[in-house]
Amino acid sequence: MKNEILSQISTECPWRDTLLWYHSLDSTNTRAKALAKDGAAHGTVLVAKTQTGGRGRMGRSFLSPTGGVYLSVILRPDCPPKKLMHLTCATAVAGCKAVEQACGVYPDIKWTNDLVYSKKKLGGILTELVLDNHGVVDCAIIGIGINCEKPKGFPKELQETVTSISEISETPCTAAKLTAKLIEALYEISKTLIVGKQEMMDLYRQRCITLGQEIKVVCGDAVDYGTALDLDQDGGLLVRFRDGREKVVTSGEVSVRGMYGYL
Ligand code: BTN
């Protein structure tokens, strides 16, 4: 499969030379962190056909059967962590672009890290920063998983909220093709991560279906309800809560009414 991926990545993209392909890994993000610790270069790309311990946000697991794309990239940006707040947004924009190019369908984004189609989850993103002892970014790991084939063996409640490329696209699309387009799109985004932030956030805003919706915000033990108004320049979600307070939410779980079983 590695050759199938390589044959579909543009020769202009230098990350074709740093692609590592695995039949199975616990988690491409976990392995990427280990390789980064041993000095792996900026732009090292890890792709696994399946993951046995795929990880999602907030300590959740991410089921990763064969038939999906599971990919992580090691970035070594020379900047403080606060300049990278929008990294998940940038990865989501790249993910949407790759899906469009490979499969001809246009996913939406559920803030902050889900690719969705018809209100069902198509994929997810997990970005992780590794800081040195001085609080400087040693590396950032961007991980993305996209369901290509209809997931088999998912629990029933997940099957109702999850979708895949094969269910939504009439264009034949292999995991290899989507992986190739993803690597190209992530490479493009990485080149303008800081200078192209405004333009990228505009694209994110256009795709973000959370905006304007009634939402539930869960942060630790606290639960609150409100309306998602806008995004700030770093990708934080501006929310007007029921008591009229307006606040930027940067973490926690945001459920959108009418999606993923939240009524
Ligand atoms: C989420 O939905 O909360 C995020 C899911 C992120 C999954 C991807 S798959 C590739 C990379 N490796 C992981 O263990 N997680 C990310």
Side-chain angles (χ1 to χ4, degrees), residues 170-209:
E170 285 170 10
T171 311
C173 176
T174 59
K177 184 175 179 189
L178 181 55
T179 303
K181 295 299 142 201
L182 204 44
I183 292 169
E184 287 177 2
L186 288 168
Y187 171 64
E188 287 305 318
I189 284 271
S190 76
K191 285 195 295 186
T192 57
L193 194 57
I194 308 295
V195 289
K197 180 175 165 184
Q198 186 58 54
E199 197 184 331
M200 186 282 301
M201 281 310 301
D202 288 345
L203 291 172
Y204 186 94
R205 189 177 278 104
Q206 283 166 26
R207 296 229 185 269
C208 183
I209 50 165

Side-chain angles (χ1 to χ4, degrees), residues 27-29 51 53-57 62 70-72 113-114 121 124-126 143-145:
S27 152
T28 53
N29 265 36
Q51 297 183 120
R55 296 188 290 111
R57 266 184 85 229
F62 185 79
Y70 312 109
L71 178 153
S72 299
N113 67 318
D114 281 357
K121 181 158 172 162
I125 292 157
L126 178 67
I144 180 162

